[in-house]
Amino acid sequence: MGVGRVGSGGHLQHERADEAFRAIADASPLLVWATGPEKDGASWFNRRWYEFTGRTPEQELVHGWRDGVHPDDLDRVIAHLDEVFDERVGYEIDYRLRRADGEYRWVVDCGMPRHETSGAFLGYLGHCVDVHDRIDAESARRIGDDRFQALARHSFDLVSIYDAEAQFVYASPSHERVLGYGPDELTGVSPVNLLHPDEQEAVAKAFAEQLQVTGIPIPVEHRIRHKDGSWRYVESIAVDLRDDPAVAGVLVNARDVTDRHRAEHLAADQARILELVARGAPLSEALDAVVLMVERWLPETQSVVAVVDQEPRQFRLVSAPSLPAELFAELQDMPLPPPAPPGAHPSFFVGPIEVTADNEAQIDALRARGYRSFWAALVSGVDGDRPALGAVVVYRRDDAEPSDTERLVVEIGANVAAIAIARDRTAAALAHQATHDALTGLPNRETVLDRLRRIVARPERDGPGTAVLFLDIDRFKVLNDSVGHDAGDKLLVDLGERLREALRPGDLVARFGGDEFVMVCERVGGELDAYALAARILELVREPFTINRSEVVVTASVGIAMVDGRDPESLLRDADAAMYWAKERGRARAELFDDELRRRVVARLDIESELRKAVDQCQLEVHYQPIVSLETSRLTGFEALVRWPHPTRGLLGPQEFLEVAEETGLARPIGAWVRAEACQQAATWHAKYPHWGRFVMGINLAAAELRERDLAISVERTVHSTGIDPALLVLEISERLVADDIAAVRGLLMRLRDLGVKIALDDFGTGAAALVHLRELPVGSIKIDQSFVAGLGKDPFDDAIVDSIIDLSRRLDLFTVAEGVETASQEQRLRDSGCHFAQGHRFAPALPADEIEAFLGRRGGRIAVSASHRAV
């Protein structure tokens, strides 16, 4: 909207003189306006303006038009118009303007300055165009452009585009902040000219491989020259967008990682010196390394390390490897800095080298060699106690103040020197840290292995044996998430103390990390005694813990391995395997690693190896079991079930290998493959056999998939790539998988529901807190577990359970699907109870896709029960 002045010489000259213009403007479909030469508001609107806004000239003129601008746009519009009015240039701006019916419409407002023939500024003349019907696409584009420009303008990342000749065609404004070059200075320049000469060939090769061979953008770290001649470290990623008309070049995003690089190399220097200390190097060697590190990072300086002598209290030089010997001798017995005021604890000093009553000789020696100032970081005790142990001092030939990085270098030197100077006190602490757990103070894995090596190496002899007990708290993640990590840590500390007090002197209790503890118990009579010991420990664990004034009760599972000549790593591995076997058998129990379990472990390892090969070679199959309407006997869906045609064991069902898949990380790729296969098959069948009607495809989700943060994205991609209607996809989640982390599962399922996918709760009634799951989760159907269906008509308990589930589903407006229906009596019983759907051998087994087509082709889409399937 234009701005101008009313009065002060009358209306605009063209308004008095050009009535023809007014007549034309009033007949125009555009919203035409005019202003005077001052910022006093609008001076004239055409008839179309007043028709559009439904307001009168008295309401609109001067600044009245602002009342019709959307409140969210007004400040932006006024600021823009003020700016262009001052510059007296043409402009274009969009905003929302209220129409007579109250609706806000997007308009594009274009204004141009007007001048007399003498050049005098007369004001603005302009018009507004209603673009509301096309504004969505345009505004989205504009907003995207604006956001990109804002990001490029304010980001510290370096965004650039190179043309086919590898020259800058675009450089974001951040180049000037990070590298000192303005964007215009870089246009037409080859970025190779900015690379460090030692890295040009390697960087060019890395980018060429990404752009021309792999197509995979991988960060490349390299140096690039700052305008002031210094070198900055950057991490760059290149993407070939030459085919994208919006870019038409190679897009490179680089991030300044100089500080990170410096920090990493500082950390590496620090680690090397600490390694010297840990190896027990002489104090002089460790402190010399500190001084050389400081001087390497702070060139043109002279560094020393001094320690504090308590009597008399003064500094004594102990390390200055690059200091001339005569100056080293003259700088002995330096006075301490002045005492800190009460309540203050300064640790870093900066100042001139000044003469005092007790340092004249030393200062004269420094000044004679051109040193004028110093930086000093006090070396505090490893426990932070004062007084200081010493200081790292940097002498300079100027009066410069330290930058944050320079101060950090000196402070790191002081910190490392503190460890070296207090080596006698810290050696024991370092040894303790190397062999003990930081949280509980218990020995760690290395201590256990060392103890077992000594036990295994003893000459064989008759008598009591040694048991290795591997303990893991049941459901500790759920507990940790519910009570908080601090409380979880407190429980681990208390449990470690409880275990230590429970065992005999000489027995070893160690923490392996997480919630795992290992006990090495010698002089154990045999397996029965080991079981008894484990039972006593389990009872001890069950006793309530007091955490934050509340009682917390936990259980644990224990695996036992008896020392019998196996190497220590094997003993721990086998005790761990026995512990997992205890968890599989119900938790809160102990299991012994014996020959049977060994066979089980070996078999599982074989299954794992063969399964990996089967997955890699696409040897798995998907079979489909029809789901039938109990009301019409017609097909309503399928459940996709993975099968493994094993070369020696025959066709394996999921219960025979999916547990191994979960433990080995294969469950997720198998699940993704099954989803893709089943969705593609469903889309194919819908197109090929329309007379089957619309049917759903049910696919099971494994536990590992529920922990996959990108599952919803993966499912969405599968839906789009296969073309299946998401409303026909049912993802089945076992109730037992929900209990561990219902909050996370709920969030995932809500995202899947938002995609249009249906959710079914499988094995209903077999997990914990089933009603809670129905309340918390976006479930559309319930699958009645086959263990309840099998007892229909035989077990009153199963009858009551099934009736209750069906009645509950009816009240909650949920569908019910009965699994494992085998007999006509079960089918009829479910139909009479009001169950909606069923699946099982009563109707059809799970079959490969081609056999499903033949099976249904003979029945025309109706699942008639064959004689072989009739109840006996």
Side-chain angles (χ1 to χ4, degrees):
M1 176 57 61
V3 292
R5 181 177 65 183
V6 179
S8 182
H11 293 293
L12 298 173
Q13 292 180 7
H14 79 281
E15 293 181 60
R16 295 196 307 267
D18 198 352
E19 294 298 333
F21 166 76
R22 289 192 178 193
I24 294 172
D26 282 340
S28 172
L30 303 178
L31 283 68
V32 184
W33 52 264
T35 78
E38 303 295 336
K39 295 182 183 179
D40 291 337
S43 61
W44 180 81
F45 295 103
N46 72 340
R47 181 184 298 112
R48 175 59 183 147
W49 178 281
Y50 295 120
E51 291 173 352
F52 183 91
T53 64
R55 288 160 60 87
T56 65
E58 289 76 13
Q59 293 172 310
E60 292 289 81
L61 290 174
V62 191
H63 294 308
W65 60 269
R66 295 179 179 180
D67 293 338
V69 178
H70 195 287
D72 292 345
D73 300 335
L74 184 58
D75 289 343
R76 173 174 59 88
V77 172
I78 293 174
H80 181 74
L81 296 181
D82 282 347
E83 180 180 350
V84 298
F85 198 97
D86 291 338
E87 298 177 359
R88 297 181 181 178
V89 295
Y91 72 86
E92 176 182 312
I93 187 173
D94 57 14
Y95 54 87
R96 286 164 287 184
L97 186 64
R98 189 173 61 239
R99 200 166 57 179
D101 60 5
E103 178 188 5
Y104 282 98
R105 304 280 294 180
W106 280 99
V107 299
V108 172
D109 188 344
C110 302
M112 291 296 295
R114 298 187 305 120
H115 299 82
E116 288 184 339
T117 55
S118 64
F121 176 59
L122 295 175
Y124 272 85
L125 178 66
H127 65 269
C128 296
V129 182
D130 184 346
V131 295
H132 192 82
D133 294 335
R134 67 173 186 268
I135 196 62
D136 287 344
E138 293 184 0
S139 63
R141 173 188 54 76
R142 187 179 300 111
I143 290 170
D145 292 344
D146 291 345
R147 284 178 178 168
F148 171 79
Q149 293 298 331
L151 288 172
R153 187 165 56 252
H154 298 292
S155 173
F156 281 89
D157 283 4
L158 307 175
V159 181
S160 53
I161 300 175
Y162 305 151
D163 60 15
E165 282 70 40
Q167 294 180 337
F168 281 97
V169 294
Y170 171 79
S172 62
S174 52
H175 281 75
E176 188 162 10
R177 285 194 300 274
V178 177
L179 296 176
Y181 303 101
D184 294 341
E185 295 179 81
L186 294 175
T187 302
V189 174
S190 172
V192 176
N193 297 336
L194 302 180
L195 295 177
H196 194 285
D198 295 343
E199 299 172 347
Q200 290 180 359
E201 183 177 348
V203 173
K205 181 179 179 181
F207 281 139
E209 183 175 356
Q210 292 182 32
L211 297 174
Q212 301 173 14
V213 181
T214 66
I216 302 174
I218 300 175
V220 178
E221 185 176 300
H222 58 88
R223 283 171 288 180
I224 191 165
R225 188 178 66 249
H226 192 280
K227 190 174 181 179
D228 64 10
S230 64
W231 295 99
R232 305 292 294 179
Y233 283 88
V234 298
E235 192 175 72
S236 302
I237 294 179
V239 182
D240 189 353
L241 297 179
R242 286 174 291 184
D243 295 333
D244 188 334
V247 180
V250 175
L251 176 66
V252 176
N253 187 284
R255 175 166 297 176
D256 185 357
V257 295
T258 304
D259 291 340
R260 186 188 76 187
H261 182 88
R262 182 186 296 118
E264 290 174 349
H265 283 74
L266 269 172
D269 286 346
Q270 183 180 9
R272 282 192 291 271
I273 301 173
L274 287 176
E275 185 179 0
L276 283 176
V277 176
R279 290 206 314 263
L283 179 61
S284 59
E285 181 181 348
L287 294 183
D288 283 354
V290 169
V291 170
L292 294 174
M293 178 195 74
V294 173
E295 291 178 344
R296 184 166 60 254
W297 285 95
L298 305 178
E300 306 300 326
T301 65
Q302 177 66 66
S303 300
V304 301
V305 176
V307 297
V308 173
D309 283 338
Q310 299 302 320
E311 297 296 340
R313 189 151 170 73
Q314 58 187 12
F315 280 125
R316 175 173 53 83
L317 237 58
V318 294
S319 177
S322 54
L323 200 69
E326 64 276 11
L327 183 57
F328 183 93
E330 292 172 338
L331 292 182
Q332 289 297 324
D333 303 329
M334 291 287 287
L336 288 167
H345 298 283
S347 60
F348 199 90
F349 297 84
V350 176
I353 295 176
E354 296 178 335
V355 176
T356 63
D358 52 0
N359 72 354
E360 183 174 356
Q362 294 92 339
I363 298 304
D364 286 344
L366 288 169
R367 285 182 168 178
R369 290 166 175 81
Y371 295 108
R372 298 170 51 187
S373 65
F374 75 94
W375 304 339
L378 292 184
V379 177
S380 300
V382 291
D383 55 1
D385 289 344
R386 295 178 64 87
L389 299 175
V392 173
V393 184
V394 177
Y395 296 114
R396 301 187 60 88
R397 290 184 168 88
D398 56 27
D399 298 322
E401 292 284 327
S403 66
D404 290 342
T405 299
E406 290 169 332
R407 175 170 176 158
L408 178 63
V409 169
V410 183
E411 289 177 337
I412 287 177
N415 292 337
V416 178
I419 298 175
I421 293 171
R423 180 171 54 188
D424 289 340
R425 286 183 289 167
T426 58
L430 288 172
H432 188 273
Q433 291 175 10
T435 57
H436 288 73
D437 172 55
L439 176 65
T440 63
L442 295 174
N444 61 13
R445 180 187 181 91
E446 288 304 315
T447 306
V448 172
L449 288 171
D450 183 66
R451 172 73 69 89
L452 289 176
R453 289 187 193 102
R454 287 188 279 111
I455 293 173
V456 171
R458 292 173 188 167
E460 293 186 10
R461 63 178 186 272
D462 296 331
T466 299
V468 179
L469 280 63
F470 202 115
L471 179 147
D472 185 273
I473 301 174
D474 297 328
R475 299 185 184 277
F476 182 70
K477 181 182 183 299
V478 178
L479 173 70
N480 220 12
D481 291 342
S482 61
V483 302
H485 292 278
D486 289 343
D489 287 348
K490 177 66 165 57
L491 185 143
L492 293 173
V493 172
D494 291 351
L495 175 58
E497 186 62 29
R498 198 178 279 187
L499 294 174
R500 183 161 47 192
E501 293 176 355
L503 296 182
R504 303 160 301 177
D507 290 341
L508 177 65
V509 182
R511 180 180 178 231
F512 269 31
D515 57 330
E516 296 177 339
F517 294 83
V518 170
M519 289 146 280
V520 178
C521 304
E522 301 185 60
R523 304 184 308 281
V524 175
E527 294 176 358
L528 292 179
D529 286 347
Y531 267 119
L533 178 58
R536 183 160 61 88
I537 290 172
L538 291 175
E539 287 298 323
L540 195 67
V541 173
R542 290 190 188 98
E543 295 178 8
F545 292 86
T546 301
I547 308 292
N548 295 336
R549 300 180 182 177
S550 299
E551 285 194 349
V552 176
V553 178
V554 298
T555 62
S557 300
V558 174
I560 306 169
M562 301 299 297
V563 174
D564 58 1
R566 281 170 287 178
D567 62 88
E569 291 285 0
S570 297
L571 284 166
L572 292 175
R573 182 197 63 216
D574 294 346
D576 188 23
M579 180 272 293
Y580 275 106
W581 178 233
K583 286 187 178 292
E584 290 180 19
R585 298 195 65 187
R587 300 187 178 92
R589 60 187 294 138
E591 291 291 340
L592 176 72
F593 188 89
D594 54 12
D595 290 340
E596 176 60 30
L597 186 53
R598 181 177 286 105
R599 284 192 294 271
R600 190 186 307 274
V601 170
V602 171
R604 175 164 296 200
L605 290 174
D606 290 341
I607 285 288
E608 176 186 346
S609 174
E610 294 169 344
L611 182 58
R612 288 188 183 278
K613 180 179 177 182
V615 172
D616 291 341
Q617 298 181 0
C618 300
Q619 295 175 354
L620 301 181
E621 298 178 353
V622 179
H623 289 196
Y624 303 89
Q625 185 169 47
I627 301 174
V628 179
S629 168
L630 290 175
E631 181 180 356
T632 65
S633 294
R634 293 193 65 84
L635 172 74
T636 59
F638 297 93
E639 180 177 2
L641 299 166
V642 65
R643 297 289 188 265
W644 179 12
H646 193 277
T648 59
R649 299 172 59 190
L651 191 65
L652 302 182
Q655 70 278 2
E656 297 178 87
F657 62 87
L658 279 188
E659 183 179 331
V660 175
E662 286 274 7
E663 294 177 2
T664 56
L666 294 173
R668 291 199 296 179
I670 291 175
W673 176 79
V674 170
R675 283 196 302 275
E677 286 286 310
C679 288
Q680 186 61 63
Q681 189 63 68
T684 300
W685 280 341
H686 273 101
K688 188 176 181 180
Y689 303 110
H691 61 281
W692 287 6
R694 284 171 63 83
F695 59 84
V696 300
M697 179 62 73
I699 303 172
N700 293 283
L701 292 178
E705 295 178 281
L706 290 178
R707 295 189 294 269
E708 185 179 353
R709 291 174 20 177
D710 296 335
L711 177 63
I713 297 174
S714 174
V715 171
E716 184 176 18
R717 288 173 178 166
T718 300
V719 168
H720 287 316
S721 65
T722 60
I724 187 175
D725 183 348
L728 300 179
L729 176 59
V730 179
L731 296 179
E732 301 181 9
I733 172 174
S734 173
E735 187 186 0
R736 287 186 289 268
L737 303 181
V738 175
D740 284 345
D741 196 349
I742 190 170
V745 171
R746 180 180 184 276
L748 170 63
L749 297 186
M750 294 295 285
R751 291 194 293 274
L752 291 171
R753 185 198 63 180
D754 292 342
L755 295 176
V757 174
K758 301 294 188 296
I759 305 298
L761 194 58
D762 201 3
D763 304 329
F764 187 76
T766 62
L771 296 181
V772 172
H773 299 159
L774 291 181
R775 183 184 65 185
E776 296 287 338
L777 304 177
V779 174
S781 58
I782 293 174
K783 303 199 75 172
I784 305 173
D785 189 71
Q786 59 185 350
S787 62
F788 299 130
V789 174
L792 287 176
K794 303 175 184 178
D795 188 334
F797 179 82
D798 288 339
D799 284 326
I801 289 291
V802 171
D803 289 341
S804 297
I805 293 174
I806 294 173
D807 182 61
L808 177 64
S809 301
R810 185 185 303 111
R811 294 174 183 272
L812 297 178
D813 197 25
L814 301 175
F815 292 109
T816 47
V817 183
E819 298 180 299
V821 179
E822 301 285 343
T823 67
S825 62
Q826 291 171 353
E827 177 188 356
Q828 189 59 46
R829 177 69 172 77
L830 291 164
R831 184 180 291 111
D832 294 342
S833 298
C835 183
H836 299 100
F837 309 105
Q839 64 185 94
H841 281 248
R842 166 68 180 164
F843 311 104
L847 299 170
D850 56 344
E851 295 184 32
I852 283 290
E853 293 183 10
F855 179 84
L856 291 178
R858 294 191 296 269
R859 291 162 174 77
R862 179 180 292 274
I863 309 294
V865 179
S866 66
S868 63
H869 291 146
R870 293 189 181 278
V872 178

